[in-house]
Amino acid sequence: MLDVMVNDEYKLTSDGMQIVIMRKHIVDPTKSPIFDETKHSAEMREEWKTWKYCGKVEQALEVILRQRVFESEAATLKELHNEIVSFKREIHGMLGDSQ
């Protein structure tokens, strides 16, 4: 089964019919309304949760890029452009493409 890290926040898996984008979440158990320090660990943990579904790997990468744009803190078009180009280079580098 597919299990590919895109970066430290996203990975791609599959369920046999589609590509599944998994997104990393940091869980703070002390924020839970049922947290009881005598019964539970207060240690932060990392969880991967299903985030979106796509038909193709290329579509999944575009969805991730779009989300990064939505969450960008760029203050100018130039900064945003640089972030987009940087992500595309990162992907091409992982794929072994020259660009």
Side-chain angles (χ1 to χ4, degrees):
M1 181 173 4
L2 183 68
D3 188 14
V4 176
M5 293 295 295
V6 175
N7 57 25
D8 63 345
E9 189 175 354
Y10 297 98
K11 70 178 179 176
L12 303 179
T13 63
S14 66
D15 63 6
M17 299 193 59
Q18 55 200 344
I19 303 299
V20 181
I21 305 172
M22 306 290 289
R23 191 166 184 184
K24 181 171 70 175
H25 294 271
I26 304 300
V27 178
D28 181 353
T30 63
K31 305 283 185 191
S32 170
I34 62 167
F35 177 75
D36 179 348
E37 62 187 51
T38 62
K39 297 179 183 176
H40 305 107
S41 168
E43 193 171 312
M44 303 272 276
R45 69 182 184 277
E46 181 181 291
E47 289 183 0
W48 289 93
K49 296 184 180 180
T50 298
W51 182 58
K52 302 232 181 214
Y53 298 93
C54 296
K56 298 179 181 178
V57 171
E58 295 83 1
Q59 292 169 332
L61 295 173
E62 284 295 322
V63 168
I64 294 169
L65 174 59
R66 219 174 315 132
Q67 187 64 32
R68 287 179 62 151
V69 168
F70 294 150
E71 295 173 358
S72 173
E73 295 182 11
T76 66
L77 285 175
K78 179 95 174 141
E79 288 176 4
L80 183 58
H81 176 340
N82 289 342
E83 288 181 24
I84 292 168
V85 168
S86 174
F87 179 72
K88 287 183 176 182
R89 280 192 186 131
E90 183 181 330
I91 297 302
H92 286 290
M94 286 187 280
L95 296 173
D97 295 347
S98 60
Q99 188 172 20

